[in-house]
Amino acid sequence: MSAHEPLSTLQTPPEPGDGWDHPGNWLLRAWLARSVPEDLLAQHRPVLAELGRLSGGDWYRMQLEDRLNEPRLTSWSAWGERIDEIELTPLWRRAHRWAAEYGLVATGYDASLGRHARLLQFARAWMYIPSTDFYGCPLAMTDGAARILSDAGNDELAGRALPHLLSTDPGAFWTSGQWMTETVGGSDVGRTETIARRDEHGRWRLTGRKWFTSAATSEIALTLARPDGNPDGSRGLALFYLEPRDEAGRLQNIEVLRLKDKLGTRKLPTAELWLDGAPATPVNGLERGVAAIAPMLNITRTWNAVTACALMQRALALAGDYARKRIAFGRPLAELPLHRETLADLEADHAAASSALLATVDLLGTVEQGEPDDADTAALRLLTPLIKLGTARDAVAGVSEALEAFGGAGYIEDTGIPQLLRDVQVLSIWEGTTNVLSLDTLRALAAVGIEPWLARMNGRLDGCRQPALNARVKQAREQLGAVPHWLAGDPQALEPQARRLALNLYRLTGLVELLALADHWLGRGDDRPLAVARHYQDLRFRLEPLRGG
């Protein structure tokens, strides 16, 4: 046989399938059907179905074709002019249009949807994210900027930017950057060295180096700087709005020093910038900038968690399809008991992560557009760092396990599978590492206490009426009952155990929300959520105890 003749047997490649109707995406559909009024969901189902078909079909194929393309920086023109032009990949240029047309940001601010706006928005994002090479990153920051400018009381800036940030017209749609990270530190933003000074016309000008700016081609950015003469530390920082380019498209006193060479998210143009008197406008006052940008961080952390769950789902869909196609030891992998159990473990982790996330998204919608009470706001304050840190870690572990399920093919670049693992690794780093968010969890507990979260969890279990759940609910109540004991004693003694505490609270949240979903659907003859809840409880609920607890 010639070396150039085809092999007698070729492996059929895996396909992700329809992102909306895929059997593996049952949980998102089940959650929306329980939580969103049927008449409202019926209006949005066609859009979700269309996004699912595109994401698992044409967009996925475009993503594979675009695999080797990366953004390119051209610093100088042929005639020596500094131009700093960033050329985006073909898929990224298309993704901008799709994001506008499908209202990936605008839906979250549609007052006609009431408290369901966020659930319906993030359901769209869930479909969109896996095949668009992390275009969800600028959308997250755009969403956060829209939240800040909606609430800041700066009518001039809101009138200028919000019609673009919330536009569904691709030609009018703007995205936003978030320029916080500097050479001296990432999460330690109090050490920010960028200085703001007024020029002779009274216009604020920013000078400093921004070491890591994602989505460097965005039309606007929010950034921290220290007004000249302000004290050191985070209280002396102010939040500024700027438009990097003028109407002719030229950068305004900004140089792109380089594009970052990253492990993953390589389609996302992340740049190091030098601001040399860039014009900017204070968003709301000249101090307490960290507090002013906090609403943006809460939104971007939620997008981070949605991205984690969506990419876990994509990895599961590919691994499941491959298991049905790949023959080993005379049978498809899907018929081998150990392989089935491995995939079931991944599905259980994904279901719990998604349940914790969707409960938090639902609560975010209530706080923003519903009729929240103080307990809702307090619970959201605690849940936001928990779901970000927990889903990120589950995504890294889950996608790694899914990659292994392909054997050698999972390690081969042109299958597109390794990119999934490289990309999800950023989720535990961006917007706060696990340790940073664990400490934020302790700050949240100091500010609002554990009672709002405990009341919410016990309320979910109180609503479980199906006898088939009794033993599982009893076990979950016992685990919830241990939480106050974990928190007793010297608060400073908790800091070394903050990561363990946060992960335990996250997993309990996922379990309780999954049990509540199981109760709802058992009453309607569907026992799949129950089977997954049982599997998750058996898999994960030998909770790692806190020392002394």
Side-chain angles (χ1 to χ4, degrees), residues 149 154-163 222 240-241 243 281-284:
L149 295 175
N154 190 324
D155 293 340
E156 181 180 356
L157 287 183
R160 165 75 176 159
L162 282 175
L222 296 182
F240 286 87
Y241 166 100
E243 296 179 13
T281 303
V283 173
N284 187 8

Side-chain angles (χ1 to χ4, degrees), residues 17 40 43 70 300 374 421 433 441 451-452 516:
L40 181 59
Q43 297 172 31
E70 294 187 8
T300 54
D374 290 343
L421 182 58
T433 63
T441 298
E451 290 77 14

Side-chain angles (χ1 to χ4, degrees), residues 334-358:
E335 294 181 8
L336 301 177
L338 181 56
H339 197 79
R340 283 204 312 271
E341 184 71 7
T342 300
L343 294 181
D345 289 351
L346 290 175
E347 182 181 13
D349 277 339
H350 178 258
S354 300
S355 294
L357 162 68
L358 291 169

Side-chain angles (χ1 to χ4, degrees), residues 107-392:
T107 303
Y109 296 81
D110 186 343
S112 71
L113 303 179
R115 60 180 292 268
H116 306 293
R118 286 298 187 181
L119 272 175
L120 293 168
Q121 173 200 19
F122 284 121
R124 295 182 185 210
W126 193 300
M127 301 296 102
Y128 170 95
I129 285 168
S131 292
T132 50
D133 285 338
F134 256 77
Y135 202 86
C137 174
L139 298 183
M141 294 184 291
T142 302
D143 193 344
R147 180 76 279 146
I148 286 176
L149 295 175
S150 295
D151 298 341
N154 190 324
D155 293 340
E156 181 180 356
L157 287 183
R160 165 75 176 159
L162 282 175
H164 291 286
L165 301 177
L166 302 180
S167 178
T168 56
D169 174 2
F173 178 54
W174 286 359
T175 59
S176 176
Q178 173 188 304
W179 299 354
M180 292 177 60
T181 305
E182 300 197 356
T183 308
V184 294
S187 299
D188 188 6
V189 295
R191 300 178 66 196
T192 292
E193 295 179 338
T194 300
I195 297 296
R197 296 184 178 92
R198 289 186 187 272
D199 64 18
E200 64 273 20
H201 304 293
R203 182 73 189 269
W204 286 98
R205 301 275 178 171
L206 308 186
T207 301
R209 182 190 299 265
K210 295 297 182 181
W211 186 79
F212 194 95
T213 63
S214 289
T217 55
S218 291
E219 288 81 1
I220 73 167
L222 296 182
T223 188
L224 295 173
R226 192 178 312 280
D228 199 14
N230 270 23
D232 293 339
S234 60
R235 292 180 66 87
L237 296 174
L239 178 62
F240 286 87
Y241 166 100
L242 57 84
E243 296 179 13
R245 296 182 182 271
D246 62 20
E247 292 184 359
R250 295 184 296 264
L251 284 169
Q252 302 192 83
N253 300 80
I254 298 171
E255 292 182 1
V256 181
L257 301 180
R258 56 176 169 164
L259 293 181
K260 295 296 190 177
D261 188 8
K262 297 170 293 179
L263 170 69
T265 66
R266 297 183 67 88
K267 306 304 181 72
L268 168 62
T270 304
E272 184 172 346
L273 305 179
W274 174 250
L275 282 54
D276 189 17
T281 303
V283 173
N284 187 8
L286 295 178
E287 57 183 12
R288 298 182 60 80
V290 176
I293 206 170
M296 187 178 204
L297 300 182
N298 290 335
I299 296 297
T300 54
R301 286 171 176 175
T302 305
W303 274 86
N304 198 98
V306 173
T307 301
C309 291
L311 293 182
M312 288 168 71
Q313 174 59 41
R314 169 57 58 86
L316 266 170
L318 289 170
D321 190 54
Y322 187 72
R324 290 184 288 273
K325 294 174 176 175
R326 176 67 173 172
I327 304 299
F329 309 109
R331 288 187 290 170
L333 288 174
E335 294 181 8
L336 301 177
L338 181 56
H339 197 79
R340 283 204 312 271
E341 184 71 7
T342 300
L343 294 181
D345 289 351
L346 290 175
E347 182 181 13
D349 277 339
H350 178 258
S354 300
S355 294
L357 162 68
L358 291 169
T360 305
V361 169
D362 199 9
L363 185 57
L364 174 63
T366 298
V367 169
E368 286 188 339
Q369 297 202 32
E371 297 181 358
D373 55 28
D374 290 343
D376 289 334
T377 304
L380 184 63
R381 170 68 181 89
L382 179 59
L383 282 169
T384 300
L386 289 179
I387 60 114
K388 191 279 183 186
L389 74 87
T391 57

